[in-house]
Amino acid sequence: MAATAQLSFSMGNETLQVPMAVFSLNRRRLCQRLKDNVNVPKNGIVLLQGGEQSQRYCTDTDNVFRQESFFHWTFGVTEANIYGAIEVASGKTHLFIPKLPENYAVWMGTIHPPNFFKDKYGVDKVHYTCDIAQVLKSLKPNFLLTLHGLNTDSGHTTREAAFDGISEFSVNNTVLYPDMVECRVIKTDLEMEILRYTNRISSEAHKEVMKAVRVGMKEYELESLFEHYCYKRGGMRHTSYTCICGSGINSAVLHYGHASAPNDKTILDGDLCLFDMGGEYYCYGSDITCTFPANGQFTADQRAIYEAVLRSSRAVMQAVRPGVAWPDMHRLADRVHLEELTKIGILQGSVENMMKVHLGAVFMPHGLGHFLGCDVHDVGGYPEGVDRIEEPGLRSLRTARVLLEGMVLTIEPGIYFIQHLLDPALADPAQACFINADILGRFRGFGGVRIEDDIAVTTNGMELLTCVPRSVEEVEALMAEGAGSAKSFEPLDSQ
Ligand SMILES: [Mn+2]
């Protein structure tokens, strides 16, 4: 096999150098798993088709390309319109690149020969895609193994590799997906290094945002600052998902920031800001939420709700280790929320009985957290044999699995005051009996609090990847530091 030890990807400056060994190791793990699986036919070749360059609707304007995640995980290839193949028995790896027309050089720049890609990615052979049928035939596989499976978060199916002449091969599209997904679920030490980096840069960017926020700004100004920091400092052209920058009442809109609500509210005095943003480097993501008062000082009510969420977050972190069932962690967060809301006076009565009527889901309708990796909602949440729990709150979990060492997840409890959930709860005697409507009334329009960190499950606990101020005192101290600087963008431009 080609030596990959010295090859690496980076965006230069201070950005992370990612060795190509990340992907040769991923391929080795995949091949080993396929070899160990008695259902996988011998002498197969894994064939994947990378992402294709797309255009904006009917125009000739290119969308910024981002590699398809399974393809990235396997080959680390950043270019569009490429195929990759692995001979399972030997691990020998092939890439197939498009033969570009001469005028490509005029408009797009250098046309790189196959050897360029061989050297860049440390694969064994690089061919032209027009020769793919002929090359694969010469390798005499019994089967081509293609990727066909359902993403349990989106409900969408992977796009299976296809090329002119594939009908002349025996194709098995059932065995690859579950094995590949399982490989992606457990992160290697090399992948962990990238996730530590995306978390470090994104944490720093969140801190810049917290220092820069001012009453009167538009929410999108902070989205812009976050993206600017991640790209300028971290070489991150993409975020892992659209930034959610909700202030005031918008902090209770779980997926705020979309085209119909594009982070365009003016931030007001007294607002809570709930900013859920994560940078992505070389197709590895991060997913971090910070909640803080726009004016730098929590009110008593804001502090109470914030500390309730922080307590559930830390209770879960204390409990996380291999062997723990993720739905139990969700229930633990619910329980802490209900206890804390009772202390605040919004709820009254037995927390045990509140759990029975799923009162926790009124305040936290989403799941406690999800896998994170090449996708922000990473694959593998519901493999065969793991079923969704059809109960309020729990049904929103993106995984119901038992934790294993090497899994990377978000822990993101939240308490929100959402009219569309509070009104039915008040109208339902089974839930209303626990609610003090007068005190709850004070929290109408409050918005919500979410605290989201990324963690890796270790041998006997977890590693916290995210590093942002979390206690009320830490948040207020950082914001006070920011308030003291004249120009909020200065920290970026002065260096
Ligand atoms: Mn998340």
Side-chain angles (χ1 to χ4, degrees):
M1 263 200 273
T4 55
Q6 71 282 21
L7 303 176
S8 66
F9 167 93
S10 108
M11 290 291 282
N13 293 345
E14 299 297 304
T15 65
L16 184 71
Q17 284 215 4
V18 180
M20 285 305 139
V22 170
F23 310 102
S24 54
L25 177 58
N26 285 349
R27 293 194 294 271
R28 268 209 305 285
R29 290 173 64 227
L30 175 64
C31 288
Q32 193 55 55
R33 196 174 172 101
L34 290 168
K35 282 192 262 190
D36 292 346
N37 184 345
V38 292
N39 297 318
V40 175
K42 297 294 162 217
N43 192 28
I45 291 183
V46 170
L47 178 70
L48 298 178
Q49 184 171 358
E52 289 185 328
Q53 177 64 59
S54 65
Q55 281 75 39
R56 188 182 288 181
Y57 303 110
C58 67
T59 75
D60 61 351
T61 302
D62 282 354
N63 294 317
V64 177
F65 179 73
R66 192 274 195 191
Q67 187 56 271
E68 191 278 323
S69 294
F70 281 100
F71 197 83
H72 179 80
W73 181 91
T74 313
F75 302 107
V77 166
T78 55
E79 292 83 358
N81 310 322
I82 297 199
Y83 290 74
I86 316 165
E87 301 175 59
V88 176
S90 66
K92 259 184 116 177
T93 301
H94 305 255
L95 292 178
F96 299 87
I97 63 169
K99 201 176 241 173
L100 298 165
E102 282 305 314
N103 72 352
Y104 178 99
V106 176
W107 301 99
M108 309 294 270
T110 311
I111 297 177
H112 295 293
N115 268 342
F116 170 87
F117 295 92
K118 186 168 178 284
D119 294 343
K120 182 174 177 186
Y121 295 116
V123 297
D124 298 286
K125 290 228 163 101
V126 179
H127 323 265
Y128 287 114
T129 308
C130 52
D131 302 326
I132 191 167
Q134 184 196 326
V135 170
L136 290 176
K137 219 175 276 177
S138 74
L139 300 173
K140 300 187 169 56
N142 290 340
F143 283 90
L144 295 182
L145 305 174
T146 57
L147 193 68
H148 176 83
L150 182 78
N151 182 304
T152 53
D153 291 307
S154 65
H156 297 147
T157 303
T158 55
R159 179 172 172 228
E160 212 176 318
F163 59 86
D164 282 343
I166 195 169
S167 58
E168 295 164 42
F169 294 83
S170 299
V171 176
N172 178 317
N173 72 357
T174 58
V175 294
L176 181 60
Y177 187 81
D179 273 346
M180 202 164 177
V181 164
E182 280 311 297
C183 288
R184 279 183 60 183
V185 167
I186 306 299
K187 275 65 181 178
T188 65
D189 291 343
L190 293 172
E191 289 181 292
M192 282 303 308
E193 279 301 314
I194 317 176
L195 291 166
R196 288 187 188 102
Y197 175 76
T198 57
N199 258 272
R200 178 167 68 75
I201 296 295
S202 302
S203 295
E204 288 169 9
H206 268 280
K207 284 154 73 174
E208 288 303 316
V209 164
M210 289 165 78
K211 287 197 283 188
V213 70
R214 299 287 184 273
V215 168
M217 279 181 169
K218 285 289 188 185
E219 294 160 339
Y220 62 74
E221 293 183 59
L222 289 316
E223 173 182 20
S224 156
L225 177 57
F226 181 85
E227 292 184 341
H228 177 55
Y229 188 95
C230 286
Y231 200 1
K232 183 179 167 77
R233 285 290 172 80
M236 297 170 165
R237 194 174 205 180
H238 298 273
T239 49
S240 334
Y241 51 96
T242 305
C243 293
I244 298 171
C245 301
S247 63
I249 189 82
N250 296 334
S251 59
V253 181
L254 300 177
H255 288 165
Y256 185 70
H258 54 88
S260 304
N263 297 326
D264 60 349
K265 175 183 162 295
T266 302
I267 297 170
L268 303 176
D269 198 11
D271 277 357
L272 268 184
C273 296
L274 185 158
F275 286 3
D276 183 344
M277 311 183 284
E280 177 185 279
Y281 186 74
Y282 201 22
C283 293
Y284 280 83
S286 63
D287 185 1
I288 300 170
T289 306
C290 294
T291 306
F292 50 88
N295 63 18
Q297 294 279 321
F298 286 86
T299 65
D301 281 348
Q302 287 171 346
R303 181 185 185 116
I305 300 300
Y306 183 88
E307 290 187 330
V309 178
L310 186 59
R311 203 151 292 160
S312 75
S313 154
R314 270 43 195 175
V316 170
M317 287 185 186
Q318 286 291 316
V320 158
R321 64 184 175 282
V324 159
W326 191 239
D328 286 341
M329 296 296 95
H330 182 100
R331 292 187 186 99
L332 172 60
D334 267 346
R335 181 177 297 277
V336 173
H337 291 161
L338 295 173
E339 285 167 3
E340 296 298 316
L341 290 170
T342 303
K343 283 184 207 159
I344 294 166
I346 294 171
L347 300 180
Q348 56 207 2
S350 148
V351 167
E352 210 55 52
N353 291 337
M354 294 176 199
M355 292 289 289
K356 286 182 192 145
V357 297
H358 305 291
L359 200 58
V362 172
F363 298 95
M364 182 173 76
H366 61 71
L368 174 68
H370 49 82
F371 290 142
L372 171 75
C374 289
D375 294 313
V376 63
H377 298 152
D378 214 23
V379 291
Y382 290 98
E384 219 183 295
V386 180
D387 293 321
R388 220 169 259 274
I389 301 171
E390 284 303 330
E391 291 174 25
L394 288 159
R395 73 166 63 94
S396 300
L397 280 174
R398 293 175 190 278
T399 181
R401 291 180 66 161
V402 170
L403 300 184
L404 299 170
E405 183 178 355
M407 286 177 168
V408 171
L409 299 108
T410 67
I411 295 178
E412 50 175 308
I415 293 178
Y416 314 88
F417 296 90
I418 302 171
Q419 198 152 328
H420 289 89
L421 297 176
L422 295 176
D423 290 339
L426 285 168
D428 173 5
Q431 292 187 323
C433 61
F434 297 108
I435 302 173
N436 182 324
D438 284 345
I439 298 188
L440 178 66
R442 208 168 79 213
F443 289 84
R444 295 271 184 173
F446 176 99
V449 170
R450 177 163 64 255
I451 297 175
E452 179 174 31
D453 294 288
D454 302 341
I455 64 111
V457 181
T458 58
T459 317
N460 46 21
M462 50 148 267
E463 176 187 344
L464 179 59
L465 306 175
T466 307
C467 185
V468 291
R470 281 309 190 198
S471 71
V472 162
E473 291 70 25
E474 287 167 351
V475 170
E476 289 185 345
L478 181 75
M479 294 186 72
E481 190 188 310
S485 66
K487 275 202 299 184
S488 59
F489 274 71
E490 205 166 41
L492 281 174
D493 297 329
S494 63
Q495 289 181 32

